[in-house]
Amino acid sequence: MWGAWAAVLLAVPPAGAGCQRPIDVPMAPLGLSVSFDGERAGGIYPALLRELAASTGCVFQVHRVPRARLLKLFESAQADLLIPAAASPARDRDGEFVPLIQVRASLLTLSHELPAPRSLAELLAQPDFKLAVVRGFTFGAAYDAAVATLRERKRLVEEADVAGAARALRQGLAQATIMMTATFVSTLAAEADLAPLLKQVRSEALEELGWAESGVYLSRQRLGEADRRTLRQAFGQAAKAGRVWQLFNDGYPPGSLGGNVRPL
């Protein structure tokens, strides 16, 4: 149904353990968090799934999809997991959230010439200021409300992925984007045509955007209670034991996570 699998993560099930069926996990490239080399998934979250496969006996079937489709697949009960994902009341209707890490989004620009807004309110008050965003990203109610307002005012540039948002900034279609600095910078580093922009990146905290939880959603529609319980416990234990935070530290360059990623 999905074409070629991007990766199939297998483990020999321990006695009495494992999920009742393979777990379907669509993923899209996201900096160093999720990457693909041919049909093999790499990065922090695929590494986490491989570890959980070994410890639980569950089989995770990972396949690559465009970022714009991820949320639609989860909402229409065509995916078992949504990972990574920020906590959202809208998503709570379809899935059970398990926090893995804390993140903080920042305002990112490629210009040091003009003062950047220090709040969403200040950004909204500047009539010529346009924002590039990635469809499906959410960083809390204040972010969602600002995006909706900018869309109404025709001041929003919506892109399918992080690289698209970066190109919108480079082309002058928008003055800034909002996301985790580590995600933006690692995406620039991975794209040959965008790498020269790294020295121009400027990051500013926004008053309304504090620390928020990011993690995994377990589908209420597709997963039975037994499998949700197994996965809830496995993901929760990995976070509480500090393993998720360690994977971030192993995956990102030293010093690059300060101010935008921290353990629970």
Side-chain angles (χ1 to χ4, degrees):
M1 156 173 154
W2 300 105
W5 291 115
V8 180
L9 312 182
L10 303 174
V12 178
C19 297
Q20 297 179 357
R21 61 170 176 77
I23 305 301
D24 181 64
V25 190
M27 283 186 165
L30 187 65
L32 295 175
S33 294
V34 181
S35 61
F36 288 90
D37 181 8
E39 296 185 354
R40 182 172 176 79
I44 292 165
Y45 289 101
L48 175 62
L49 292 183
R50 289 187 180 93
E51 292 186 7
L52 296 189
S55 64
T56 66
C58 294
V59 175
F60 298 97
Q61 295 179 322
V62 178
H63 51 97
R64 180 175 182 169
V65 299
R67 172 152 296 280
R69 291 188 60 196
L70 279 179
L71 188 55
K72 292 180 181 179
L73 289 172
F74 190 74
E75 290 175 342
S76 60
Q78 297 181 68
D80 293 320
L81 303 185
L82 182 64
I83 182 172
S88 162
R91 295 172 184 174
D92 290 341
R93 294 193 297 266
D94 302 305
E96 177 183 350
F97 181 70
V98 182
L100 299 176
I101 206 80
Q102 287 193 328
V103 300
R104 186 176 187 180
S106 299
L107 183 80
L108 303 170
T109 67
L110 298 178
S111 173
H112 293 258
E113 298 176 359
L114 299 175
R118 296 185 178 274
S119 68
L120 291 172
E122 187 178 335
L123 186 157
L124 291 171
Q126 298 183 24
D128 296 327
F129 198 100
K130 291 187 177 181
L131 188 72
V133 300
V134 178
R135 296 187 191 95
F137 275 15
T138 180
F139 301 105
Y143 171 87
D144 292 343
V147 166
T149 299
L150 290 171
R151 185 182 292 115
E152 291 175 0
R153 297 177 182 177
K154 311 298 183 185
R155 291 167 49 195
L156 194 69
V157 178
E158 300 185 73
E159 297 290 341
D161 52 30
V162 176
R167 292 188 177 99
L169 266 59
R170 182 181 62 185
Q171 296 167 17
L173 301 177
Q175 285 68 55
T177 186
I178 295 177
M179 66 182 71
M180 287 168 50
T181 306
T183 298
F184 188 72
V185 169
S186 62
T187 298
L188 296 185
E191 300 281 344
D193 68 313
L194 296 176
L197 301 177
L198 283 167
K199 60 182 179 294
Q200 299 175 235
V201 177
R202 174 183 176 185
S203 175
E204 298 285 348
L206 293 172
E207 291 178 5
E208 299 92 339
L209 300 185
W211 289 96
E213 291 179 335
S214 177
V216 56
Y217 271 98
L218 315 176
S219 175
R220 299 182 190 277
Q221 301 179 68
R222 282 176 56 101
L223 293 171
E225 175 54 37
D227 282 350
R228 287 208 313 277
R229 181 171 60 251
T230 296
L231 295 170
R232 180 194 314 127
Q233 293 173 349
F235 280 112
Q237 179 58 33
K240 291 177 182 177
R243 183 53 187 157
V244 178
W245 175 237
Q246 186 60 53
L247 286 171
F248 268 88
N249 278 279
D250 292 344
Y252 279 88
S256 65
L257 297 177
N260 64 120
V261 185
R262 70 183 187 186
L264 292 176

PDB file of all heavy atoms in Angstrom, residues 234-246:
ATOM      1  N   ALA A 234       7.108   1.630  27.341  1.00  0.00           N
ATOM      2  CA  ALA A 234       8.439   1.602  26.739  1.00  0.00           C
ATOM      3  C   ALA A 234       8.947   3.012  26.450  1.00  0.00           C
ATOM      4  O   ALA A 234      10.084   3.368  26.798  1.00  0.00           O
ATOM      5  CB  ALA A 234       8.417   0.772  25.457  1.00  0.00           C
ATOM      6  N   PHE A 235       8.121   3.835  25.823  1.00  0.00           N
ATOM      7  CA  PHE A 235       8.522   5.210  25.526  1.00  0.00           C
ATOM      8  C   PHE A 235       8.718   6.003  26.822  1.00  0.00           C
ATOM      9  O   PHE A 235       9.679   6.773  26.958  1.00  0.00           O
ATOM     10  CB  PHE A 235       7.476   5.899  24.652  1.00  0.00           C
ATOM     11  CG  PHE A 235       7.571   5.553  23.195  1.00  0.00           C
ATOM     12  CD1 PHE A 235       6.571   4.807  22.576  1.00  0.00           C
ATOM     13  CD2 PHE A 235       8.640   5.988  22.426  1.00  0.00           C
ATOM     14  CE1 PHE A 235       6.650   4.500  21.224  1.00  0.00           C
ATOM     15  CE2 PHE A 235       8.722   5.685  21.071  1.00  0.00           C
ATOM     16  CZ  PHE A 235       7.729   4.940  20.465  1.00  0.00           C
ATOM     17  N   GLY A 236       7.788   5.822  27.768  1.00  0.00           N
ATOM     18  CA  GLY A 236       7.880   6.551  29.024  1.00  0.00           C
ATOM     19  C   GLY A 236       9.146   6.212  29.797  1.00  0.00           C
ATOM     20  O   GLY A 236       9.806   7.095  30.356  1.00  0.00           O
ATOM     21  N   GLN A 237       9.505   4.941  29.815  1.00  0.00           N
ATOM     22  CA  GLN A 237      10.705   4.529  30.529  1.00  0.00           C
ATOM     23  C   GLN A 237      11.958   5.079  29.868  1.00  0.00           C
ATOM     24  O   GLN A 237      12.900   5.505  30.544  1.00  0.00           O
ATOM     25  CB  GLN A 237      10.779   3.001  30.588  1.00  0.00           C
ATOM     26  CG  GLN A 237      12.004   2.460  31.303  1.00  0.00           C
ATOM     27  CD  GLN A 237      12.127   2.949  32.735  1.00  0.00           C
ATOM     28  OE1 GLN A 237      11.109   3.155  33.412  1.00  0.00           O
ATOM     29  NE2 GLN A 237      13.351   3.158  33.203  1.00  0.00           N
ATOM     30  N   ALA A 238      11.977   5.103  28.526  1.00  0.00           N
ATOM     31  CA  ALA A 238      13.135   5.644  27.809  1.00  0.00           C
ATOM     32  C   ALA A 238      13.334   7.114  28.140  1.00  0.00           C
ATOM     33  O   ALA A 238      14.469   7.591  28.272  1.00  0.00           O
ATOM     34  CB  ALA A 238      12.957   5.457  26.304  1.00  0.00           C
ATOM     35  N   ALA A 239      12.228   7.845  28.272  1.00  0.00           N
ATOM     36  CA  ALA A 239      12.326   9.269  28.614  1.00  0.00           C
ATOM     37  C   ALA A 239      12.769   9.459  30.065  1.00  0.00           C
ATOM     38  O   ALA A 239      13.670  10.251  30.360  1.00  0.00           O
ATOM     39  CB  ALA A 239      10.991   9.956  28.375  1.00  0.00           C
ATOM     40  N   LYS A 240      12.142   8.713  30.991  1.00  0.00           N
ATOM     41  CA  LYS A 240      12.452   8.875  32.408  1.00  0.00           C
ATOM     42  C   LYS A 240      13.888   8.458  32.729  1.00  0.00           C
ATOM     43  O   LYS A 240      14.529   9.024  33.611  1.00  0.00           O
ATOM     44  CB  LYS A 240      11.467   8.058  33.247  1.00  0.00           C
ATOM     45  CG  LYS A 240      10.053   8.609  33.231  1.00  0.00           C
ATOM     46  CD  LYS A 240       9.102   7.716  34.018  1.00  0.00           C
ATOM     47  CE  LYS A 240       7.672   8.244  33.953  1.00  0.00           C
ATOM     48  NZ  LYS A 240       6.724   7.344  34.653  1.00  0.00           N
ATOM     49  N   ALA A 241      14.388   7.459  32.012  1.00  0.00           N
ATOM     50  CA  ALA A 241      15.749   6.976  32.248  1.00  0.00           C
ATOM     51  C   ALA A 241      16.806   7.883  31.624  1.00  0.00           C
ATOM     52  O   ALA A 241      18.002   7.658  31.807  1.00  0.00           O
ATOM     53  CB  ALA A 241      15.895   5.555  31.704  1.00  0.00           C
ATOM     54  N   GLY A 242      16.357   8.888  30.870  1.00  0.00           N
ATOM     55  CA  GLY A 242      17.299   9.805  30.248  1.00  0.00           C
ATOM     56  C   GLY A 242      17.847   9.345  28.909  1.00  0.00           C
ATOM     57  O   GLY A 242      18.741   9.985  28.344  1.00  0.00           O
ATOM     58  N   ARG A 243      17.317   8.235  28.387  1.00  0.00           N
ATOM     59  CA  ARG A 243      17.859   7.711  27.139  1.00  0.00           C
ATOM     60  C   ARG A 243      17.538   8.612  25.947  1.00  0.00           C
ATOM     61  O   ARG A 243      18.372   8.791  25.059  1.00  0.00           O
ATOM     62  CB  ARG A 243      17.309   6.296  26.881  1.00  0.00           C
ATOM     63  CG  ARG A 243      17.883   5.629  25.635  1.00  0.00           C
ATOM     64  CD  ARG A 243      19.399   5.634  25.661  1.00  0.00           C
ATOM     65  NE  ARG A 243      19.964   5.148  24.407  1.00  0.00           N
ATOM     66  CZ  ARG A 243      21.189   5.445  23.983  1.00  0.00           C
ATOM     67  NH1 ARG A 243      21.967   6.238  24.713  1.00  0.00           N
ATOM     68  NH2 ARG A 243      21.618   4.972  22.847  1.00  0.00           N
ATOM     69  N   VAL A 244      16.355   9.206  25.915  1.00  0.00           N
ATOM     70  CA  VAL A 244      15.999  10.096  24.806  1.00  0.00           C
ATOM     71  C   VAL A 244      16.923  11.308  24.798  1.00  0.00           C
ATOM     72  O   VAL A 244      17.453  11.709  23.750  1.00  0.00           O
ATOM     73  CB  VAL A 244      14.521  10.526  24.898  1.00  0.00           C
ATOM     74  CG1 VAL A 244      14.188  11.489  23.768  1.00  0.00           C
ATOM     75  CG2 VAL A 244      13.601   9.308  24.851  1.00  0.00           C
ATOM     76  N   TRP A 245      17.144  11.885  25.960  1.00  0.00           N
ATOM     77  CA  TRP A 245      18.046  13.036  26.071  1.00  0.00           C
ATOM     78  C   TRP A 245      19.466  12.653  25.637  1.00  0.00           C
ATOM     79  O   TRP A 245      20.151  13.426  24.973  1.00  0.00           O
ATOM     80  CB  TRP A 245      18.025  13.545  27.497  1.00  0.00           C
ATOM     81  CG  TRP A 245      18.995  14.647  27.814  1.00  0.00           C
ATOM     82  CD1 TRP A 245      19.952  14.635  28.781  1.00  0.00           C
ATOM     83  CD2 TRP A 245      19.093  15.929  27.196  1.00  0.00           C
ATOM     84  NE1 TRP A 245      20.649  15.817  28.800  1.00  0.00           N
ATOM     85  CE2 TRP A 245      20.142  16.636  27.825  1.00  0.00           C
ATOM     86  CE3 TRP A 245      18.405  16.561  26.159  1.00  0.00           C
ATOM     87  CZ2 TRP A 245      20.511  17.926  27.467  1.00  0.00           C
ATOM     88  CZ3 TRP A 245      18.771  17.855  25.795  1.00  0.00           C
ATOM     89  CH2 TRP A 245      19.812  18.519  26.443  1.00  0.00           C
ATOM     90  N   GLN A 246      19.889  11.446  25.988  1.00  0.00           N
ATOM     91  CA  GLN A 246      21.228  11.005  25.598  1.00  0.00           C
ATOM     92  C   GLN A 246      21.338  10.859  24.085  1.00  0.00           C
ATOM     93  O   GLN A 246      22.361  11.205  23.485  1.00  0.00           O
ATOM     94  CB  GLN A 246      21.561   9.671  26.269  1.00  0.00           C
ATOM     95  CG  GLN A 246      22.993   9.215  26.021  1.00  0.00           C
ATOM     96  CD  GLN A 246      24.014  10.203  26.539  1.00  0.00           C
ATOM     97  OE1 GLN A 246      23.967  10.587  27.710  1.00  0.00           O
ATOM     98  NE2 GLN A 246      24.931  10.642  25.690  1.00  0.00           N
TER      99      GLN A 246
END
